[in-house]
């Protein structure tokens, strides 16, 4: 999905919500636990209930890998289902990959290749290994690399906020350096909602780029704060909520409950747009 | 595999060679291309030909993910085969994972859990997200996290070598900080052979830790240099070679050719030990 198509979708749905499909079988409703294709059936119900309220889905790949080959089959079923719908939606493999150049090429193929098993629009990538680990993700037309800049966890303080010789935190050097590797049409950044005030610093360096913002809800981030510092003229935000939506209920009404929570966020977003 | 068992294995086999199972179907011998379970059959032949000459196998997970679900099935067949042999060998998932704490737990389960589909001894992890992204990989008994410190690629210069306020390169701050997260019994480090002279600096910070050293051979690193700066009293090195061994020939004799190349390295290692 191109930048223009994404912006149009945000305007049409009056939403910049990304729903995190971090599906944990133990937290699914009892009637789906242990059922064949239970994870897929859970995801399908969440997608059906939320697709008019959001613009993106973001499965965190770890949740599927933890279930072994069978989990990855559930992920494929989920992606096949999303692709089978006639409704446009942006899909993000939250995979946090990155390796030397010829190896990153293979991760790019695994997640972004239109002929591959998943065909995501975007993938999250860790910057530690530098240019050649990131650039292979930028070569697919209409596909995106979403580079980790400032994450929402406590560990972000260990290195991301450590200052270089000239006093600039590492995450800002990542933002600055990465502008040589991609552009506003193929690169976004992860900036955690739990550090919303730092979005102003992020915006000084990448004013026009889209930001994927996790951490709203369960992790404590505030949508209002994120919008105050992060919005730009094209919206420029994808705000993710996972647990707050998909586990809003673990009863038979889980999909309706997810829709209600998604709608609350969508309405706040519509008011801002 | 515990540290003591690994050291004993190195002494017994007179080798600290790790064979990288970075299997690319396009580089396999013609008779295996397009064959059912061709990747597994290639790996099995490589393992049979090299297991007495090496102490570790390291499939890079990207090579399998690039082939979709079918590729991961080939990886599982490979790991099942290695586990079925009665010979001890250390297995490393070169996966370069890392996410917020509760998500890293899932990656740890995916690769290290003895009841999981793969049951590796170790996994490579990227440090960018800090403490809570790394610690979940240290909780399995006799299993290891191998943290990226200084990688063998050109992109390593972008951030890993960037100096902090006090003049210390990031990779050294990663080494130093990570000593709070694990110990010599559950944490190793990736240090690229292409930067062998920096191994002396690494050894000042983590004198007793095992180092996984990629980049010997195809990437240009020298085994002699690596040993000069990296060996410690317990050996403390796992030196990886991938392409130089597994693609030594792409004819019917590929396994014999792989054994010859592995033996050359093993003999150099035996001379050093």
């Amino acid at each position: 999905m191109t930048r223009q198509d994404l912006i149009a979708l945000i305007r049409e749905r009056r939403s910049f919500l990304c729903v995190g499909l971090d599906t944990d079988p133990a937290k699914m409703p009892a009637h789906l636990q242990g059922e064949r294709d239970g994870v897929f059936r859970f995801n399908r119900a969440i997608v059906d209930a939320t697709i008019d309220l959001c613009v993106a889905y973001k499965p965190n790949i770890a949740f599927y890998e933890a279930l072994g080959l069978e989990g990855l089959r559930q992920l494929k079923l989920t992606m096949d289902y999303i692709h089978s719908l006639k409704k446009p939606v942006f899909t993000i493999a939250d995979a946090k990959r990155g390796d030397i150049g010829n190896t990153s090429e293979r991760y790019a193929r695994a997640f972004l290749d239109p002929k591959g098993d998943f065909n995501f629009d975007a993938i999250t990538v860790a910057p530690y290994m530098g240019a050649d680990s990131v650039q292979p993700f930028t070569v697919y037309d209409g596909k995106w690399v979403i580079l980790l800049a400032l994450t929402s966890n406590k560990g972000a303080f260990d290195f991301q906020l450590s200052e270089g010789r000239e006093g600039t935190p590492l995450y800002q050097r990542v933002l600055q350096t990465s502008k040589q590797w991609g552009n506003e049409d193929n690169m976004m950044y992860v900036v955690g909602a739990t550090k919303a005030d730092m979005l102003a610093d992020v915006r000084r360096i990448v004013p026009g780029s889209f930001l994927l913002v996790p951490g709203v809800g369960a992790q404590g981030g505030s949508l209002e704060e994120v919008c105050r510092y992060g919005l730009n003229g094209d919206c420029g935000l994808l705000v993710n909520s996972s647990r707050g939506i998909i586990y809003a209920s673990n009863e038979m009404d889980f999909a309706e409950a997810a829709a209600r929570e998604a709608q609350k966020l969508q309405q706040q977003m519509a008011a801002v747009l």
Side-chain angles (χ1 to χ4, degrees), chain A:
Chain A
M1 181 179 293
T2 67
R3 178 183 169 84
Q4 288 314 315
D5 288 344
L6 178 58
I7 293 169
L9 185 62
I10 288 169
R11 292 204 174 119
E12 181 196 316
R13 298 225 178 114
R14 299 172 56 76
S15 172
F16 45 96
L17 178 61
C18 176
V19 175
L21 296 175
D22 302 350
T23 306
D24 176 353
K27 291 187 183 162
M28 298 192 311
H31 74 281
L32 287 174
Q33 289 187 27
E35 283 293 298
R36 182 168 166 79
D37 294 338
V39 169
F40 164 58
R41 289 167 61 196
F42 178 86
N43 288 349
R44 183 177 60 188
I46 295 284
V47 169
D48 286 342
T50 58
I51 194 162
D52 293 324
L53 302 165
C54 71
V55 295
Y57 290 106
K58 181 176 77 62
N60 187 306
I61 306 305
F63 284 74
Y64 300 88
E65 290 192 356
L67 307 175
L69 300 185
E70 177 56 26
L72 291 158
R73 200 176 67 79
Q74 300 295 303
L75 178 63
K76 177 168 163 49
L77 289 172
T78 301
M79 290 303 295
D80 287 347
Y81 180 70
I82 291 173
H83 292 310
S84 78
L85 299 172
K86 298 301 171 209
K87 297 181 175 178
V89 74
F90 192 74
T91 53
I92 301 166
D94 195 358
K96 301 189 174 72
R97 299 298 199 260
D99 207 311
I100 65 174
N102 79 328
T103 306
S104 271
E105 273 174 35
R106 287 166 203 276
Y107 280 129
R109 194 187 310 164
F111 290 102
L112 303 183
D113 188 336
K115 299 187 299 295
D117 272 347
F118 300 117
N119 190 17
F120 282 95
D121 291 302
I123 178 172
T124 58
V125 170
Y128 190 73
M129 294 180 67
D132 62 281
S133 73
V134 176
Q135 284 169 324
F137 295 99
T138 65
V139 302
Y140 289 86
D141 278 348
K143 304 255 169 160
W144 300 73
V145 56
I146 308 182
L147 198 62
L148 302 188
L150 187 58
T151 55
S152 56
N153 62 324
K154 190 154 168 283
F157 290 92
D158 287 316
F159 306 118
Q160 297 168 26
L161 290 169
S162 73
E163 297 183 352
R165 222 183 231 299
E166 69 309 317
T168 313
L170 178 59
Y171 82 91
Q172 294 187 17
R173 287 176 281 144
V174 167
L175 290 169
Q176 191 65 50
T177 305
S178 73
K179 289 163 77 174
Q180 303 162 35
W181 307 340
N183 56 49
E184 294 173 3
D185 293 316
N186 62 17
M187 190 174 282
M188 305 184 183
Y189 300 94
V190 172
V191 183
T194 49
K195 301 177 181 64
D197 53 328
M198 294 178 191
L199 278 163
D201 296 316
V202 171
R203 276 293 176 223
R204 270 195 291 277
I205 306 173
V206 289
S209 298
F210 264 89
L211 308 178
L212 171 62
V213 183
V216 164
Q219 291 181 59
S222 142
L223 178 61
E224 193 190 344
E225 293 262 298
V226 167
C227 292
R228 183 182 313 151
Y229 298 110
L231 276 173
N232 68 16
D234 294 319
C235 175
L237 292 176
L238 294 173
V239 170
N240 184 76
S241 175
S242 300
R243 288 170 266 179
I245 292 176
I246 70 174
Y247 303 134
S249 159
N250 69 349
E251 305 291 333
M252 293 293 287
D253 70 341
F254 72 99
E256 294 86 339
R260 269 198 304 278
E261 292 304 314
Q263 188 159 35
K264 279 186 211 167
L265 286 167
Q266 183 270 326
Q267 286 172 345
Q268 293 174 55
M269 289 172 176
V272 170
L273 285 170

